[in-house]
Amino acid sequence: MLWIELLRWAHVIGATVLLGTGAGIAFFMVMAHRTKDAALIAHVAGTVVVADWIFTASAVVLQPITGLLLAKAIGWPLTQGWLMLSIGLYVLTGMFWLPVVWIQAQLRDLARAAAKSGEPLPPRYHKLYRIWFACGFPAFFAVLWIVWLMTARPSF
């Protein structure tokens, strides 16, 4: 029983890290972008890239492991509707997160170059930022939905 409680705790912590880091990263990137200050954007984006690799990536790896172990320990078949939907939403989230990580690094590099040269942020920065911003919504709402599925475990 302790094993199940530890798995459940680890899984909830992972979900919290995914949701919290995603929301925090989005907030700080948006606030930095609004300043139009290339040096500030470069600094924040650099921190965001590191945070994504340390926190989000580790949670992304551990979530399916703790989830599968928890389901097996409790005896939940992975074919249950809420579990299948959660897994599908997790994959969908990943499909948006992977490009976002790359885009964040590009935004950082473009802002660094603009700050170093004293030039304004280039059009490519603005285009990538709009893509980054748009990708955040489906990923964030998918994670919210997954957390709801984890806690409610509705029967389909």
Side-chain angles (χ1 to χ4, degrees):
M1 190 58 121
L2 178 61
W3 172 243
I4 291 173
E5 295 310 315
L6 286 173
L7 280 173
R8 188 184 318 261
W9 175 81
H11 198 65
V12 168
I13 292 297
T16 304
V17 168
L18 283 176
L19 189 59
T21 304
I25 282 172
F27 175 79
F28 289 111
M29 283 291 289
V30 168
M31 296 309 286
H33 172 79
R34 290 181 56 182
T35 70
K36 298 181 174 77
D37 179 338
L40 178 65
I41 294 167
H43 176 75
V44 171
T47 302
V48 159
V49 168
V50 171
D52 236 352
W53 283 114
I54 292 173
F55 298 108
T56 311
S58 60
V60 163
V61 169
L62 291 175
Q63 276 307 98
I65 294 168
T66 59
L68 291 171
L69 290 173
L70 185 59
K72 183 177 180 179
I74 291 174
W76 290 329
L78 296 180
T79 55
Q80 280 188 336
W82 71 270
L83 271 172
M84 289 176 53
L85 183 54
S86 294
I87 293 166
L89 289 167
Y90 192 78
V91 170
L92 177 73
T93 301
M95 290 169 55
F96 283 100
W97 178 69
L98 288 171
V100 159
V101 172
W102 179 83
I103 289 170
Q104 287 168 175
Q106 297 298 304
L107 294 174
R108 176 202 59 203
D109 295 346
L110 291 165
R112 280 181 181 166
K116 185 177 180 179
S117 70
E119 297 290 322
L121 294 163
R124 183 164 185 263
Y125 168 89
H126 295 287
K127 179 181 178 183
L128 287 172
Y129 177 83
R130 286 189 300 275
I131 295 168
W132 174 86
F133 190 84
C135 286
F137 285 98
F140 184 74
F141 286 112
V143 172
L144 283 176
W145 197 0
I146 292 167
V147 171
W148 180 80
L149 290 166
M150 278 176 32
T151 57
R153 295 188 308 270
S155 58
F156 296 117

